[in-house]
Amino acid sequence: MNVIVFEVKVLFYSYKPPIAYQVKTSNIMPQPSSLIGALYRSYVECHGLDYSKETYNWFLNQIAFAGFAIIPRDGGNTVTIKDFPVLIKHWRIERDEELKSDAMLRHYVVSDGRIVGVVGVETEDVKTFIDPVSAIEYLGNSETLVSV
């Protein structure tokens, strides 16, 4: 097995428990499933594959584990984590062409720590996963843009 360790750089983020709707409070860290989903999307795109059941099953069989940790920067011993709500308002056109507005409260998290991701892969050809890890664009939702 090979292990890929990387830092995820993000201004603020919002990660929900899998069974929650958008208005719930965010988790402190991204879930492993968010990492696996983002890595799969990136893997398919980097290698020009399709999103078939076979590709997905093969991919999942290569992943031994995945997860995140938040660690202090510069050798410190504390991490500050703060959540804050944002009222998101958008407009939509209904079938009768009437313009309606909606609003929802979404919670975001910001931290002064380093978000470190870890992926264990079963393949000896770990290089096939390096570019996809580096190409991850967002985690969990489309508003949480990241760089790796």
Side-chain angles (χ1 to χ4, degrees):
M1 176 185 351
N2 290 292
V3 177
I4 303 167
V5 180
F6 54 95
E7 182 177 358
V8 175
K9 296 182 180 179
V10 61
L11 288 176
F12 51 87
Y13 50 90
S14 179
Y15 301 108
K16 308 294 180 256
I19 59 172
Y21 185 64
Q22 297 180 36
V23 296
K24 298 290 183 183
T25 300
S26 180
N27 287 341
I28 290 174
M29 286 190 300
Q31 301 148 174
S33 60
S34 295
L35 176 54
I36 291 171
L39 182 55
Y40 175 64
R41 177 185 176 274
S42 187
Y43 183 86
V44 167
E45 290 184 7
C46 282
H47 295 292
L49 302 171
D50 61 358
Y51 290 96
S52 69
K53 185 177 180 179
E54 293 78 23
T55 301
Y56 186 60
N57 286 335
W58 180 89
F59 173 84
L60 287 179
N61 285 328
Q62 302 307 304
I63 305 296
F65 61 88
F68 291 98
I70 298 179
I71 61 173
R73 292 191 180 277
D74 304 325
N77 57 9
T78 60
V79 173
T80 302
I81 298 170
K82 173 80 173 130
D83 77 318
F84 59 95
V86 174
L87 183 63
I88 299 173
K89 188 171 183 177
H90 68 275
W91 295 90
R92 69 179 191 281
I93 298 175
E94 294 290 321
R95 289 185 188 171
D96 59 3
E97 296 189 17
E98 181 183 352
L99 191 61
K100 292 190 176 182
S101 68
D102 261 341
M104 67 180 166
L105 196 61
R106 177 170 278 183
H107 282 259
Y108 287 92
V109 174
V110 65
S111 172
D112 65 352
R114 296 173 67 188
I115 300 175
V116 177
V118 179
V119 177
V121 293
E122 295 290 352
T123 181
E124 292 300 317
D125 187 17
V126 71
K127 291 179 182 179
T128 63
F129 284 90
I130 298 294
D131 286 342
V133 165
S134 299
I136 292 174
E137 297 173 336
Y138 58 85
L139 286 169
N141 62 41
S142 58
E143 292 90 13
T144 303
L145 299 175
V146 300
S147 65
V148 174

